């Protein structure tokens, strides 16, 4: 197997793009079905993220001949998380700012109701709503990068522990035996 062409970045990029595509499809499915943004169904979006991160780590291990260190597996998962976080955050900004601003307005209405229930004054609420109206999509996208990346780091650590398989002395001896010339 040619391991020189395989890099953790390429594997992570491939699986991160699968995650982004699935996330975009889920976003529009939820919008089409008119599912509330605060609904617990949003947690379904974690399933493809976790699955694709683990698949990235497994594919990278397989490309290395079935052996991978904890660090190599973690780096593959970390790269997946960072790439996925950045690309999906760009989508989030575009989605809320340009593609579906009505969805963000619904979120703002929910936030306004929550602030009213907390007993905030109307001036405080108006000021907060003005900031949300101007910068809400950008703030949401910015914080999404960190939230997704941190969640990804946790999953990458778990995945690295699962997929870690370092070479043992027997593995090294078996490989050296296969390279000796029996005619000698």
């Amino acid at each position: 197997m040619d391991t020189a062409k395989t890099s953790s970045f390429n594997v992570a990029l491939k699986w991160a793009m699968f995650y982004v595509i699935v996330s975009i499809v889920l976003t529009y499915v939820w919008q089409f079905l008119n599912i509330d943004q605060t609904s617990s169904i949003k947690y379904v979006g974690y399933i493809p993220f976790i699955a694709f991160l683990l698949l990235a780590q497994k594919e990278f291990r397989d490309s290395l001949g079935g052996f991978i260190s904890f660090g190599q597996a973690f780096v593959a998962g970390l790269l997946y998380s960072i790439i996925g976080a950045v690309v999906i955050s760009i989508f989030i900004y575009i989605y809320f700012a340009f593609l579906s601003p009505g969805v963000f307005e619904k979120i703002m209405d929910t936030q306004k109701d929550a602030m009213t229930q907390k007993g905030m004054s109307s001036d405080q609420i108006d000021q907060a709503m003005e900031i949300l109206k101007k910068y809400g999509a950008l703030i949401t996208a910015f914080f999404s990068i960190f939230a997704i990346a941190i969640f990804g780091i946790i999953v990458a650590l778990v995945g690295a522990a699962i997929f870690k398989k370092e070479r043992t002395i027997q593995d090294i001896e078996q490989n050296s035996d296969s390279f000796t010339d029996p005619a000698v």
Side-chain angles (χ1 to χ4, degrees), residues 22-57:
V22 169
S23 292
I24 291 171
V25 169
L26 284 175
T27 299
Y28 281 106
V29 166
W30 292 330
Q31 182 180 351
F32 178 74
L33 296 175
N34 201 22
I35 295 175
D36 187 36
Q37 292 289 323
T38 59
S39 171
S40 59
I41 194 77
K42 67 182 177 186
Y43 296 113
V44 169
Y46 291 119
I47 295 169
F49 181 85
I50 294 168
F52 292 141
L53 188 148
L54 296 174
L55 287 169
Q57 290 175 317

Side-chain angles (χ1 to χ4, degrees), residues 2 6 9 46 52 65 73-74 125 130-132 140 156 168 171 173 178:
D2 188 9
T6 303
F9 180 81
Y46 291 119
F52 292 141
F74 174 71
I125 293 171
E130 189 62 34
I131 291 170
L132 275 177
T140 302
T168 63
D171 295 324
E173 288 173 356
S178 64

Side-chain angles (χ1 to χ4, degrees), residues 3 18 23 39 44 64 72 82 148 160:
T3 59
F18 286 145
S23 292
S39 171
V44 169
L64 296 174
Q72 289 171 314
I82 291 171
I148 294 168

Side-chain angles (χ1 to χ4, degrees), residues 59-181:
E59 181 180 323
F60 189 53
R61 182 189 71 184
D62 293 346
S63 73
L64 296 174
F67 297 99
I68 193 167
S69 69
F70 180 87
Q72 289 171 314
F74 174 71
V75 167
L78 177 65
L79 287 171
Y80 164 88
S81 300
I82 291 171
I83 294 166
V86 169
V87 176
I88 205 70
S89 293
I90 292 168
F91 168 73
I92 287 170
Y93 174 73
I94 293 169
Y95 177 74
F96 285 143
F98 305 108
L99 300 176
S100 297
V103 174
F104 195 73
E105 288 175 15
K106 287 180 186 177
I107 293 171
M108 286 179 40
D109 291 342
T110 304
Q111 290 299 317
K112 186 175 183 177
D113 292 343
M115 287 185 244
T116 303
Q117 290 177 356
K118 287 183 181 178
M120 294 176 69
S121 70
S122 62
D123 288 340
Q124 290 173 320
I125 293 171
D126 291 341
Q127 187 178 21
M129 289 296 109
E130 189 62 34
I131 291 170
L132 275 177
K133 188 179 260 185
K134 277 186 175 179
Y135 305 110
L138 187 61
I139 292 168
T140 302
F142 181 75
F143 283 110
S144 293
I145 291 175
F146 295 107
I148 294 168
I150 289 169
F151 179 69
I153 287 170
I154 294 166
V155 176
L157 287 168
V158 173
I162 292 169
F163 289 111
K164 177 186 118 178
K165 185 177 180 188
E166 297 193 33
R167 294 186 190 277
T168 63
I169 293 179
Q170 290 90 5
D171 295 324
I172 295 169
E173 288 173 356
Q174 286 175 346
N175 283 345
S176 66
D177 289 343
S178 64
F179 292 119
T180 59
D181 188 6

